[in-house]
Amino acid sequence: MLKRELVNLPTTRYLGSKQKIVSWIWDTIQDMEFDSFLDLFGGTGIVGYVAKLHGKEVFYNDTLLFNSIIGKAIIENNEEQLMSDDVDFILRKHNFEYPSFIENKFKDVYFTNEENKWLDIVITNIKHIENKYKQALAFYCLFQSCIRKRPYNLFHRKNLYVRFANVKRGFGNKTTWDTPFDVQFKEFVEEVNNLVFDNKRENKSLNHDSLKFPQEISADLIYIDTPYFSAHSNIGVDYKDFYHFLEGICEYDEWNDKIDNNSKHFRLKKEKTVWEDKYLIHTAFDTLFKKFQGKIIVVSYRSAGIPSEEEMIALLKKYKTNIQVVRKEYKYALSNNDGKELLFIAT
Ligand SMILES: C[S@@+](CC[C@H](N)C(=O)[O-])C[C@H]1O[C@@H](n2cnc3c(N)ncnc32)[C@H](O)[C@@H]1O
């Protein structure tokens, strides 16, 4: 066991983040026999990070590029930190040629003109950083700052006006939204530097579609936390739509070609996934369970979803002999419905 306290990841909200229940998840699985841990739908990285804290060899994976960069910064990276001269380089204007892509394309969409200009400069500077871990740390701070400055912490609507509307707000925090980017950025530098440590393992951050995850990379325990499909609203969560702006930042030079210009908020062109299709989602789980049948499989599941709890158990039983269901009551911050959080543990 590492002599290190669990340092909280940034309080910035990410849809479906297990930050509030990660201790419960860890307590539930820690006595099982495993030395390596694959966080297949890694998101914020909090679950894989806790596995890293406990000395496991961790593979983090997420299909979104910006998330895999987060994984690189806090899971794969065992030692690099951002020093004050790095931060100075990132935040200062140099003799580079600075594009004005965000300033032109996203005028009045998510951030103010000044903020958009700042983004074009800082992204260009970060792209000039040669050390890949320092670059990942810098992107990490940039993504967190962008999320924190957004009403609802999402990019699902053209709603910059919400920040300036003279109405009583039942959500969000105007002071946070209006705190300048560079101030937020520096706060995250301090936070992320504190997250970096060496657990003496070769941890990896990957960027694969879970169904095509390379067979040759394997771990003793596979943790599966797919996007939630609500039976109640009959829709699944489209992460690429909610966070497209961060994904665009990662592909800054090609961003313009990837945008769906018919959408008011200039999202990336849609690619429908099996996790948003209630007719394909059962087969998708089946494929995953088959693929990882030789391993310990742990699935995070929220009640009232598709597949149902019974269907999930039946799918797991096709490949595993022992299925345990562990329950926790948990209220989701971004939802009015109470969800019951479950873990399926299949050995
Ligand atoms: C429920 S969230 C995971 C939350 C994570 N456990 C945490 O605590 O932050 C689901 C994640 O799956 C990712 N995802 C969606 N489709 C995927 C796919 N086909 N393969 C891998 N990751 C995928 C999303 O980008 C999202 O970050």
Side-chain angles (χ1 to χ4, degrees), residues 240 244 247-248 255 258-260 266-270:
K240 192 170 166 192
H244 64 93
E247 202 64 358
W255 194 348
K258 299 192 171 189
I259 286 179
D260 169 6
F266 295 124
R267 68 174 183 203
L268 294 174
K269 285 174 196 152
K270 177 125 184 93

Side-chain angles (χ1 to χ4, degrees), residues 31-49:
D31 290 336
M32 306 181 80
E33 261 183 48
F34 63 100
D35 182 50
S36 49
F37 184 94
L38 168 57
D39 191 357
L40 191 58
F41 296 79
T44 60
I46 181 74
V47 184
Y49 185 79

Side-chain angles (χ1 to χ4, degrees), residues 14 16 18 41-44 46 62-64 67 209-210 225 239 275:
Y14 184 73
K18 296 295 175 286
F41 296 79
T44 60
I46 181 74
D62 198 287
T63 193
L64 292 180
N67 277 329
D209 178 337
S210 55
D225 186 16
Y239 280 86
W275 306 105

